[in-house]
Amino acid sequence: MKEETVKLAITGSIGSGKSVVSRMMNVLGVPVYDCDVNAKRLMTDDEFIVSELKRMFGDECYEDDGTLNRQYIASRIFTDKENIKRVNSLVHPVVKRDFEEWAAKQESSVVAVETAILYESGMIEAVDKVLVVWADRETAINRTMQRSGMNRIQVENRMNNQMSVDDLLLMSDYSLYNDGDEPLLPRVMSIVEELKNISNFAVSN
């Protein structure tokens, strides 16, 4: 009998270290679906999203070679909150369905999805467990500034538009405090082992 697949969400605010944990999960044999990467792919490859974006904002959404005109899209979306909502309500359900189809094809007893907007996107409905990666605000701000080139105000604005760490932690099954000092790998390994045990228990019962 195939093991019951346990689906884990890896979430946290910007600068928390979600991607670091995702890479560790991959090394430990847990396939990870990256929502950001796949959303960008689907905005180019998914016929429904392409047709709806063109209907909303015109053919200028795409370059002549079919790639997304990111500068034009950004100019239309980020200047109007209603347009952000329209695009999100279009893209998020497609990403969620794509993850579910991807997860069903995996052979692993544990799969994961990395997303910064677990609840806002509806992805919470597609997972069994939630892991929140977090760091103190100052650490997260400095990390983001160093890696992204954004200034402090830009980073803080991004943070202020995301769910608070306190709210995320209240709704999590697991949490990892990523201060850069305490090794993450032993704790990630422990979580993976626990999830595998949950998968085995689901099959045996």
Side-chain angles (χ1 to χ4, degrees), residues 28 174 184-197:
L28 295 171
Y174 307 98
L184 281 176
L185 186 57
R187 291 178 287 158
V188 174
M189 290 174 69
S190 176
I191 291 170
V192 170
E193 284 306 308
E194 185 172 331
L195 292 170
K196 287 180 177 178
N197 289 335

Side-chain angles (χ1 to χ4, degrees), residues 7-23:
K7 296 181 280 293
L8 172 73
I10 303 169
T11 193
S13 68
I14 187 171
S16 61
K18 295 183 298 297
S19 297
V20 172
V21 172
S22 293
R23 288 194 291 273

Side-chain angles (χ1 to χ4, degrees), residues 4-201:
E4 188 74 19
T5 301
V6 177
K7 296 181 280 293
L8 172 73
I10 303 169
T11 193
S13 68
I14 187 171
S16 61
K18 295 183 298 297
S19 297
V20 172
V21 172
S22 293
R23 288 194 291 273
M24 290 181 180
M25 290 273 181
N26 256 320
V27 169
L28 295 171
V30 176
V32 180
Y33 180 100
D34 187 317
C35 279
D36 281 347
V37 170
N38 284 287
K40 290 171 183 173
R41 172 181 60 82
L42 290 166
M43 287 177 77
T44 299
D45 295 350
D46 186 86
E47 292 181 4
F48 175 68
I49 290 179
V50 171
S51 64
E52 285 299 296
L53 283 177
K54 287 182 177 180
R55 183 182 65 80
M56 290 178 187
F57 306 119
D59 291 343
E60 299 95 326
C61 290
Y62 292 88
E63 307 285 2
D64 292 340
D65 62 0
T67 57
L68 192 67
N69 185 340
R70 298 189 185 283
Q71 188 172 356
Y72 175 77
I73 288 283
S75 72
R76 296 299 304 271
I77 293 177
F78 295 114
T79 54
D80 187 331
K81 288 186 176 180
E82 286 305 311
N83 282 344
I84 293 176
K85 291 179 183 177
R86 291 169 70 196
V87 173
N88 285 345
S89 65
L90 167 65
V91 175
H92 289 164
V94 178
V95 174
K96 176 172 169 282
R97 185 183 71 239
D98 191 66
F99 164 69
E100 291 171 329
E101 292 172 353
W102 171 90
K105 296 174 184 175
Q106 305 306 308
E107 295 298 322
S108 175
S109 60
V110 180
V111 300
V113 53
E114 180 186 334
T115 173
I117 48 174
L118 175 63
Y119 297 94
E120 302 92 325
S121 67
M123 187 62 77
I124 184 64
E125 300 165 5
V127 300
D128 306 303
K129 299 288 182 180
V130 176
L131 165 61
V132 173
V133 186
W134 66 289
D136 66 83
R137 185 178 177 90
E138 197 62 29
T139 298
I141 289 172
N142 288 332
R143 279 180 187 155
T144 306
M145 288 170 60
Q146 288 170 10
R147 74 153 195 255
S148 69
M150 288 191 286
N151 62 40
R152 187 181 187 88
I153 293 174
Q154 290 172 318
V155 176
E156 289 182 335
N157 285 342
R158 186 80 65 90
M159 281 184 166
N160 293 337
N161 285 324
Q162 295 180 332
M163 283 184 67
S164 72
V165 170
D166 288 343
D167 287 342
L168 288 173
L169 288 171
L170 281 173
M171 295 184 282
S172 68
D173 298 288
Y174 307 98
S175 66
L176 286 173
Y177 179 58
N178 179 24
D179 60 358
D181 294 328
E182 187 178 349
L184 281 176
L185 186 57
R187 291 178 287 158
V188 174
M189 290 174 69
S190 176
I191 291 170
V192 170
E193 284 306 308
E194 185 172 331
L195 292 170
K196 287 180 177 178
N197 289 335
I198 291 171
S199 173
N200 292 332
F201 181 81

